[in-house]
Amino acid sequence: MPLLATRTRHRFTGQIAGVGSTSGTRVVVGRWLDSPFGAFADAMVETASGHRVLLAPSEEVADYVRSTYVFDEVRIEPVTVTVQGSRWQVRSPSLDLDLVTGGRLPLGHLLRGIPRAVATHPAWAVLCDPVARVLLCGVRTRGAAVGDRREFYGATDTRAVRTASGRFDDVALGALAAVDPPCRFGFSSTPRRPSVTDVVTTVSVPAAGA
């Protein structure tokens, strides 16, 4: 009798933008070009008071994300990300966010020198995790998530965010600032320095019937 696989891997390929603001609100935007749900965008917002909000474009996406991360509130609403050159425009009923990216960071140059098949493999994320903990405050490249899920982040490039402006719940975010304190959605935060990172996220979940 063949053995059943005990875990299944889901891959999300895209970009993560993480920024802080002088209002104290921190925002993490996912722009996913390929995923089990197709292409979509979502956003995680933590206010200065520590209230954590997920903005998801569908119930299906919301169920998956809140089964992996922790939020105080989940909102189902359209989330769009438009990228034109160095400019990001993020729009939803709750969030307006405009970003301008800058040059490739030194870490980005290093990441681009690693073969993509290596950089995006979960085994590489395991090897890089101790280094990321030391060099990037609050950042992990692998860890345990909610519901016995395991996550692996395989970054392939990263660029600085030069400016950010916008509003959340009709309150101005203020100017760009460091992501400080770290976000508390899961085991890892986005880097303290505002940035856009090209990434392949692998989520290992218990297989059905395992």
Side-chain angles (χ1 to χ4, degrees):
M1 181 178 179
L3 293 176
L4 293 174
T6 59
R7 303 193 71 83
T8 300
R9 286 179 175 177
H10 301 154
R11 284 167 62 94
F12 297 75
T13 301
Q15 296 173 297
I16 296 175
V19 297
S21 67
T22 52
S23 68
T25 295
R26 289 138 286 149
V27 183
V28 179
V29 177
R31 179 187 180 228
W32 303 111
L33 307 178
D34 184 52
S35 82
F37 307 104
F40 73 93
D42 64 349
M44 304 178 189
V45 180
E46 184 169 356
T47 66
S49 66
H51 189 68
R52 297 162 296 183
V53 183
L54 169 64
L55 309 179
S58 69
E59 288 282 1
E60 186 180 29
V61 169
D63 286 344
Y64 189 93
V65 176
R66 65 184 160 199
S67 294
T68 309
Y69 302 95
V70 178
F71 302 96
D72 303 301
E73 181 182 355
V74 175
R75 303 180 188 179
I76 312 299
E77 59 188 49
V79 182
T80 62
V81 177
T82 303
V83 178
Q84 294 183 325
S86 63
R87 297 183 179 276
W88 279 48
Q89 186 181 76
V90 182
R91 294 292 183 268
S92 84
S94 300
L95 176 68
D96 287 346
L97 180 65
D98 294 296
L99 308 176
V100 177
T101 60
R104 181 169 289 117
L105 294 170
L107 178 59
H109 288 286
L110 178 63
L111 291 172
R112 283 173 59 84
I114 301 169
R116 183 176 178 84
V118 174
T120 60
H121 196 284
W124 181 253
V126 172
L127 288 174
C128 291
D129 189 59
V131 179
R133 291 196 205 195
V134 173
L135 297 182
L136 301 169
C137 180
V139 174
R140 300 281 307 280
T141 57
R142 64 94 177 218
V146 175
D148 193 27
R149 298 186 175 195
R150 303 167 190 168
E151 276 196 289
F152 307 88
Y153 295 111
T156 59
D157 197 2
T158 184
R159 292 180 175 272
V161 172
R162 291 171 43 211
T163 66
S165 61
R167 306 178 71 83
F168 178 66
D169 283 347
D170 292 325
V171 177
L173 295 175
L176 180 68
V179 183
D180 185 34
C183 299
R184 301 175 302 114
F185 307 116
F187 65 85
S188 178
S189 174
T190 189
R192 185 178 187 277
R193 180 172 183 171
S195 59
V196 171
T197 301
D198 292 8
V199 67
V200 174
T201 300
T202 302
V203 182
S204 172
V205 304

